[in-house]
Amino acid sequence: MVYCIKHKLCFDGWESLQLGENRWSDTFIRRVSAQDGLPPTDYAIAIKQLVNLLVDKDGKGRPSASIWVSVQDDKGTWFAREIKKSLEGVSQPVAVTIENVHPRLVDFSYYPNTSTTPSPEPPQKTDPIPEDITEAELFCLRVLTRLELGFTAEIASLTNMSRPTARQALHSLTNRGLIHHLTENEKYPVWQIRRKGLSLALRSWRVPSGASFRSRSERNRHSDGRHRRVARLWPAWLRKAWSHTEIWAGWSEVTLGGYLRPDALVWGELHARETLFVLEVERGNRSSTRLELKAQRKLNRALTYTREFSLHLVFAILGPNWVLDAEIGAFRNLPDDVALVLGDWKAFGELPAPRWGFVRRL
């Protein structure tokens, strides 16, 4: 069951929180996770749509309502902190907590409206997500909603699944009429989201029916085939190259902080340190001097961002060997909170061992 304010506006839960002596809130709950297939900045955009619709001109909203974003991930803090930062300035009070920790009054962006008695419970309705859909199927559907079309290996990489598990889920989604094959090549099938599947994925993110959510898509949708494939395989590339690394979630073609736009991003842990693994795929369609300047600019932006959240940074560049030859000289005297690695974009799963403060290349 989900709680609804209006027919199209649904939340994962509701609670009248006691936020002071004899003061009660009217708080709607949105449960989110890095495993839901959306980067945190895009998730925040989806939540903003809910917030903006809480109160409208027709008077059918809940002017007393506040939002509690409960981040379900139990490892690391970056995902929750980025959502909280991205929600700054929204029109209704919002609190972001981790692992179902109930918010206190000071956790809200500003003081929510309260009353002297608990607020009336809003109506409930049946969750639009079918009860028999599996977690693997839903995750593949959400990832494919971002990609719009993709190969099995790419979807498996971004869902943190094995290829057989992802393939089984994708066939099940096809039987449900939510996705379909673009090709009949059984060895390398291309899967495409269907309108019915897109609608279900959007409802699973609680995006209201009829609302536009263009942020769901990869940012650079016009990259060439190899560039796009390498970016999408980044989580699987890391898992194969560094088995000791914890991979919590990964996305291709994201935007962070308004200025950092990596080709792919993985959130995880390396050497017991919460880390962002930023990937840049470089084709080499520039001069050597411009390649150096671009690489330096990308690294500086990534380092500025990760330091804002007190994270460590693994910065990786994958491309043709001549590009790596041109760019490696751009990096000297690295700080000890960053490790830089360079690798051949044709050698899937091969990366040099990272070392903080150093540049490594196979």
Side-chain angles (χ1 to χ4, degrees):
M1 303 295 288
V2 295
Y3 286 85
C4 299
I5 298 177
K6 292 173 286 187
H7 178 65
K8 297 180 180 180
L9 193 59
C10 299
F11 291 84
D12 303 305
W14 172 89
E15 192 167 340
S16 189
L17 301 168
Q18 187 172 6
L19 297 176
E21 187 175 353
N22 297 322
R23 303 305 301 182
W24 301 84
S25 73
D26 179 22
T27 302
F28 288 81
I29 304 169
R30 182 67 184 91
R31 296 186 179 94
V32 305
S33 170
Q35 306 306 313
D36 291 344
L38 280 176
T41 46
D42 295 345
Y43 226 142
I45 293 172
I47 295 170
K48 283 179 182 178
Q49 291 187 322
L50 292 176
V51 174
N52 292 337
L53 292 171
L54 278 172
V55 182
D56 61 14
K57 295 179 180 179
D58 63 14
K60 295 181 181 179
R62 300 263 290 216
S64 63
S66 54
I67 301 290
W68 169 18
V69 180
S70 178
V71 180
Q72 305 296 293
D73 304 293
D74 60 357
K75 296 181 178 179
T77 62
W78 166 74
F79 192 84
R81 292 165 64 197
E82 177 56 80
I83 286 183
K84 182 176 182 178
K85 177 188 172 186
S86 299
L87 288 174
E88 290 177 356
V90 296
S91 59
Q92 296 292 115
V94 176
V96 180
T97 68
I98 298 176
E99 291 187 83
N100 294 316
V101 175
H102 277 60
R104 302 163 300 167
L105 186 61
V106 295
D107 292 323
F108 285 89
S109 53
Y110 57 93
Y111 283 4
N113 290 322
T114 57
S115 60
T116 56
T117 58
S119 299
E121 186 174 359
Q124 298 183 46
K125 64 177 288 188
T126 303
D127 196 319
I129 309 305
E131 291 185 358
D132 63 340
I133 195 168
T134 68
E135 186 176 285
E137 290 169 5
L138 188 56
F139 202 177
C140 286
L141 184 67
R142 285 164 164 167
V143 166
L144 196 52
T145 299
R146 283 199 82 236
L147 307 185
E148 297 190 0
L149 59 91
F151 291 93
T152 304
E154 297 170 348
I155 298 167
S157 171
L158 294 166
T159 55
N160 198 19
M161 297 178 190
S162 67
R163 292 190 192 185
T165 300
R167 188 179 299 112
Q168 182 179 6
L170 290 165
H171 279 296
S172 180
L173 291 170
T174 301
N175 293 336
R176 291 176 181 270
L178 301 175
I179 66 173
H180 66 90
H181 281 158
L182 261 188
T183 70
E184 296 301 324
N185 186 328
E186 288 301 320
K187 189 174 182 181
Y188 300 108
V190 178
W191 310 89
Q192 185 177 39
I193 193 78
R194 301 185 71 172
R195 185 182 183 88
K196 182 180 176 182
L198 172 61
S199 177
L200 181 58
L202 293 177
R203 299 299 84 74
S204 77
W205 288 325
R206 306 304 182 207
V207 176
S209 177
S212 174
F213 185 40
R214 300 192 180 193
S215 297
R216 64 179 171 82
S217 301
E218 292 177 304
R219 290 303 185 267
N220 185 7
R221 299 169 60 189
H222 304 292
S223 57
D224 64 35
R226 181 178 293 278
H227 184 284
R228 181 172 56 247
R229 183 167 178 80
V230 171
R232 292 176 175 181
L233 291 178
W234 181 230
W237 201 303
L238 281 175
R239 283 191 289 270
K240 183 176 180 181
W242 301 337
S243 59
H244 60 286
T245 302
E246 282 197 49
I247 306 293
W248 297 335
W251 309 271
S252 53
E253 304 291 355
V254 301
T255 297
L256 297 171
Y259 60 88
L260 179 62
R261 299 190 176 190
D263 293 320
L265 177 74
V266 163
W267 173 45
E269 185 178 80
L270 178 66
H271 303 154
R273 300 169 180 177
E274 186 175 0
T275 302
L276 289 186
F277 303 80
V278 172
L279 172 67
E280 293 296 333
V281 183
E282 185 53 70
R283 292 172 294 180
N285 54 351
R286 303 167 185 242
S287 67
S288 295
T289 300
R290 292 186 66 189
L291 286 173
E292 280 196 22
L293 292 174
K294 178 184 176 183
Q296 289 173 337
R297 183 176 68 253
K298 293 278 190 178
L299 174 60
N300 289 337
R301 287 179 177 177
L303 194 53
T304 297
Y305 180 84
T306 53
R307 283 179 171 172
E308 181 180 353
F309 292 90
S310 301
L311 303 171
H312 277 65
L313 169 67
V314 170
F315 189 84
I317 299 175
L318 296 177
N321 282 313
W322 75 266
V323 171
L324 306 183
D325 292 338
E327 291 189 339
I328 194 168
F331 307 107
R332 296 182 179 86
N333 302 318
L334 293 180
D336 59 9
D337 56 351
V338 58
L340 196 145
V341 295
L342 298 94
D344 184 349
W345 66 350
K346 293 182 180 180
F348 171 74
E350 295 184 16
L351 288 172
R355 184 178 176 186
W356 301 118
F358 289 86
V359 180
R360 303 297 297 272
R361 178 183 175 185
L362 287 176

